[in-house]
Amino acid sequence: MLKSLFIIIFFLTACGGGGANSSSDNSSTSSKVYTIMPLGDSITYDDANAYYDSNGNNLVPAGKRTAYRSFLAYDLDDAGIKYNFVGSRRAGYDIEPKFDPDNEGHPGWTSFDISKKVYHYLEMNPADIVLLHIGTNDRAGGRVDGTEKIINEIERYAKDHKKKIHIFVALIINRWLFDKTIEKYNKNLEAMLKKRNDPNITIVDMRNMISGGQHDYLENTHPNKQGYKKIADKWFVELTDYLN
């Protein structure tokens, strides 16, 4: 009897069955939840001149504003990637299918505005990943020091809190009517990021990703749903490459 019991125990151990460590290791890998902060301006939050009438009345309530975030959430859901969007703002909570509406999108803000607040935002809502699309409102001759300061502040927070944060930095979309200032900003941004050669930064090239005119734009500055879907899909490709 004892000999038979020994054989059974030996067989289960050799095959990896019946052991708590084996099952817990598998579940811990699959249950990883990535905290993601969508960070930027109106293109992150979802705001546009077309959302207001001639008297300035808001025609699109916050619960209906999604930008690229809903499309990215659905992509992540379909891929089985567990995530938690984080931020002090909420927009898109009335959309179906439901998605996590938390974000750090600030319509009208420049990179310099974001740089003054981002450390505090991360204190309130820590993130593993930051998706940064900023610079559309910067009209300072292609300067990128505001964006570099955002990155420095994120990395200062990470160092202070002994936390790893990966930053996906977009070379941003242009406008319906091509804007040379944005082109210069992107050129300088790309040069700055390559010079940093930072392993915690991924450059996401969105410059020529969406088409000008009515095809992908709602109006001069902001994409329509089709344009936002393209932005979401680009974020998704870069995220999955990193997570895999």
Side-chain angles (χ1 to χ4, degrees), residues 43-71:
I43 294 171
T44 296
Y45 180 82
D46 193 3
D47 194 29
N49 295 333
Y51 293 173
Y52 302 87
D53 66 19
S54 58
N55 295 317
N57 297 311
N58 183 5
L59 304 175
V60 183
K64 297 292 186 181
R65 300 190 181 208
T66 64
Y68 66 78
R69 294 173 290 106
S70 59
F71 297 116

Side-chain angles (χ1 to χ4, degrees), residues 7-45:
I7 293 171
I8 292 170
I9 293 171
F10 177 81
F11 176 78
L12 287 172
T13 303
C15 293
N21 290 339
S22 173
S23 60
S24 63
D25 286 348
N26 289 338
S27 63
S28 66
T29 301
S30 62
S31 63
K32 168 68 176 175
V33 178
Y34 298 95
T35 51
I36 301 172
M37 177 178 285
L39 176 65
D41 48 38
S42 57
I43 294 171
T44 296
Y45 180 82

Side-chain angles (χ1 to χ4, degrees), residues 96-207:
E96 295 290 345
K98 294 290 186 183
F99 76 102
D100 189 338
D102 297 332
N103 69 94
E104 212 59 80
H106 299 270
W109 283 30
T110 67
S111 60
F112 301 94
D113 297 323
I114 294 288
S115 70
K116 298 171 185 176
K117 299 286 189 179
V118 66
Y119 191 101
H120 175 60
Y121 293 150
L122 287 166
E123 285 183 313
M124 292 191 299
N125 295 288
D128 302 314
I129 293 167
V130 173
L131 305 180
L132 179 63
H133 188 290
I134 193 66
T136 304
N137 300 309
D138 290 34
R139 309 296 293 180
R143 285 174 54 187
V144 296
D145 42 323
T147 304
E148 186 163 29
K149 187 175 180 183
I150 293 172
I151 294 168
N152 290 340
E153 286 294 285
I154 293 171
E155 295 192 334
R156 181 170 74 90
Y157 170 85
K159 182 178 180 181
D160 289 349
H161 293 79
K162 297 179 174 58
K163 182 176 179 62
K164 180 181 177 181
I165 302 176
H166 198 88
I167 314 167
F168 291 82
V169 183
L171 304 179
I172 64 175
I173 63 170
N174 211 290
R175 300 181 192 267
W176 176 333
L177 301 175
F178 188 78
D179 188 329
K180 289 184 178 180
T181 302
I182 290 179
E183 181 183 39
K184 186 175 181 180
Y185 169 84
N186 277 327
K187 182 178 179 180
N188 292 340
L189 178 60
E190 183 177 30
M192 180 268 286
L193 294 172
K194 287 183 175 179
K195 184 177 180 180
R196 288 179 76 107
N197 192 29
D198 190 332
N200 293 318
I201 293 175
T202 295
I203 300 172
V204 183
D205 192 348
M206 296 190 180
R207 289 174 290 188

